[in-house]
Amino acid sequence: MALPVVQTLGDCSDWSLTVSPYIGQIYNLPQQLLQSWNNPTELRALYLATNPLISAFMFALALAPLVLVVSEFNKNYSQVDRLWSILPTLYNAHFVTYAHLIGLPTQRLDNLLAVSTVWSLRLTFNYFRKGGYNIGSEDYRWATLKSWVPGWAFFLFNIIFISFIQSILLFAITAPTYVLLLTSRLLPNNLSTADIICSRFLLVLITIEFFADQQQWDFQKAKKSYLETAKVPHKYNQIDLDRGFVASGLWSWSRHPNFAAEQAVWVTIYQWGCLTSDVLYNWTATAAVAYLLLFQGSTWLTELLTAGKYPEYKEYQKRVGRFLPKLSSKLPGDFSDQKAKPKAEVEKNGKGEKKKAIKR
């Protein structure tokens, strides 16, 4: 049987009941695929007979060497980056499709897939407009890392982390959807309060990401125009553009509001699985924590390079928290304390000082 027998909601989060019994399918699936690859009927039967978590894992595992070969052939290490906004929703769609095919209630899963699709559309659009899908486009951080280590070390890094770990991680963060699939065997086909809260909160987080990306995009366009024409675009301040990095709007509260919301998206999906299966925590926390650790490392590198490029970035780090607002800071994150006061206010203050001097 492809799915475990679960009697309580807590069983749906039990690794020993829902995952361990199916690990053996990992060894048999490649041979079964070879035997059935040209027979659609057999492939469909194999798909339904394989635990959906295992089939998703095998897809991620098979994808890793392909990414490795393409990256080494092109000497471009952003192959997983191009798939980042697509794969999680693809895995979620796989779980939802499986549930539909075997006749499970899917309203909760359909809701999650809809939110996941919105997440993908936002991230794919933002990556596209920045040129991420252009031929030869590569994350500048890979080139920096490559310059720091010997060639053989970076090749190992590509095998272990860039190609394999990242591919498996993009699958693993969707494991809560498997938990939700299992709970649908015990719960009625309607949305609970937890479902509504989690799905709506996810949309709020995606909205924050959208506005953060847009503010960054608008600032970079304005900066580019300013550097090319020496004219300050409307609604922008020369001091801000000379500084070189965005520090207004959401960016005055968080140095990486888009990253903060992105991490919260997958932590929320993890919590959704826990709430629905009536447990405080479960084994899918491993992926959520790994995702957080990945962002800690990548953000550290990003800020290291940014601080080396922009002299005022270290001051910005003192004023604004990396992900969450820095409540202990008394200085404004947008550097408004350093901006020139309006002429009328300066003249007013100047007259006030003169009056004080006369009285004295």
Side-chain angles (χ1 to χ4, degrees), residues 220-236:
Q220 293 301 330
K221 283 182 64 179
K223 186 175 76 169
K224 182 180 179 182
S225 174
Y226 170 62
L227 292 175
E228 291 175 349
T229 66
K231 295 180 180 179
V232 178
H234 179 59
K235 294 183 180 180
Y236 285 90

Side-chain angles (χ1 to χ4, degrees), residues 6-7 20 44 55 105 124 155 252 304 311 350:
V6 290
Q7 298 179 346
S20 292
R44 186 178 188 278
S55 54
T124 302
F155 177 64
S252 67
L304 180 68

Side-chain angles (χ1 to χ4, degrees), residues 2-303:
L3 291 179
V5 176
V6 290
Q7 298 179 346
T8 67
L9 290 175
D11 288 346
C12 301
S13 283
D14 190 334
W15 169 277
S16 64
L17 289 176
T18 63
V19 182
S20 292
Y22 302 97
I23 292 177
Q25 291 184 342
I26 293 174
Y27 308 103
N28 301 324
L29 189 58
Q31 184 179 357
Q32 292 171 329
L33 282 172
L34 288 174
Q35 294 172 349
S36 308
W37 69 271
N38 60 347
N39 189 321
T41 303
E42 290 185 4
L43 281 175
R44 186 178 188 278
L46 179 60
Y47 179 77
L48 295 177
T50 305
N51 180 276
L53 187 74
I54 298 301
S55 54
F57 171 74
M58 290 299 288
F59 180 85
L61 198 62
L63 189 63
L66 295 177
V67 169
L68 174 64
V69 171
V70 172
S71 65
E72 287 296 331
F73 180 78
N74 294 321
K75 296 302 177 183
N76 185 310
Y77 302 95
S78 282
Q79 307 307 319
V80 176
D81 297 339
R82 292 181 171 86
L83 301 172
W84 200 277
S85 64
I86 300 169
L87 287 176
T89 295
L90 184 64
Y91 292 125
N92 282 333
H94 154 68
F95 289 121
V96 176
T97 300
Y98 188 91
H100 276 279
L101 289 175
I102 64 174
L104 289 177
T106 60
Q107 187 173 0
R108 180 177 296 101
L109 292 168
D110 291 339
N111 200 31
L112 186 149
L113 180 57
V115 175
S116 182
T117 301
V118 174
W119 172 86
S120 280
L121 290 173
R122 181 209 65 82
L123 188 55
T124 302
F125 167 71
N126 194 56
Y127 191 70
F128 168 78
R129 69 175 174 177
K130 293 194 297 184
Y133 294 109
N134 293 347
I135 296 175
S137 174
E138 183 183 44
D139 189 328
Y140 68 95
R141 292 171 296 186
W142 295 136
T144 301
L145 283 173
K146 192 175 181 181
S147 68
W148 288 352
V149 298
W152 63 267
F154 190 81
F155 177 64
L156 288 178
F157 180 74
N158 187 17
I159 294 174
I160 298 170
F161 177 76
I162 299 178
S163 300
F164 278 85
I165 289 181
Q166 288 195 128
S167 179
I168 299 301
L169 179 59
L170 291 177
F171 144 75
I173 57 176
T174 65
T177 311
Y178 173 64
V179 174
L180 291 176
L181 183 155
L182 296 177
T183 63
S184 65
R185 305 177 74 189
L186 302 173
L187 294 172
N189 191 29
N190 61 280
L191 299 180
S192 66
T193 302
D195 297 327
I196 295 172
I197 291 174
C198 288
S199 60
R200 301 305 182 267
F201 184 57
L202 285 169
L203 290 176
V204 169
L205 293 172
I206 294 170
T207 301
I208 292 173
E209 289 183 292
F210 173 80
F211 281 108
D213 289 340
Q214 191 61 45
Q215 288 171 3
Q216 177 73 268
W217 177 259
D218 290 341
F219 178 84
Q220 293 301 330
K221 283 182 64 179
K223 186 175 76 169
K224 182 180 179 182
S225 174
Y226 170 62
L227 292 175
E228 291 175 349
T229 66
K231 295 180 180 179
V232 178
H234 179 59
K235 294 183 180 180
Y236 285 90
N237 187 292
Q238 183 176 350
I239 296 176
D240 293 332
L241 296 174
D242 286 336
R243 188 180 302 113
F245 56 89
V246 61
S248 58
L250 291 170
W251 301 82
S252 67
W253 296 94
S254 167
R255 302 202 299 270
H256 304 278
N258 49 351
F259 289 178
E262 172 64 15
Q263 294 171 84
V265 163
W266 295 102
V267 170
T268 299
I269 291 177
Y270 158 69
Q271 288 294 336
W272 194 351
C274 290
L275 288 170
T276 307
S277 58
D278 200 24
V279 295
L280 291 175
Y281 57 89
N282 62 31
W283 58 271
T284 64
T286 305
V289 171
Y291 203 71
L292 297 180
L293 292 175
L294 173 67
F295 268 84
Q296 292 295 326
S298 65
T299 305
W300 170 82
L301 178 58
T302 299
E303 294 207 323

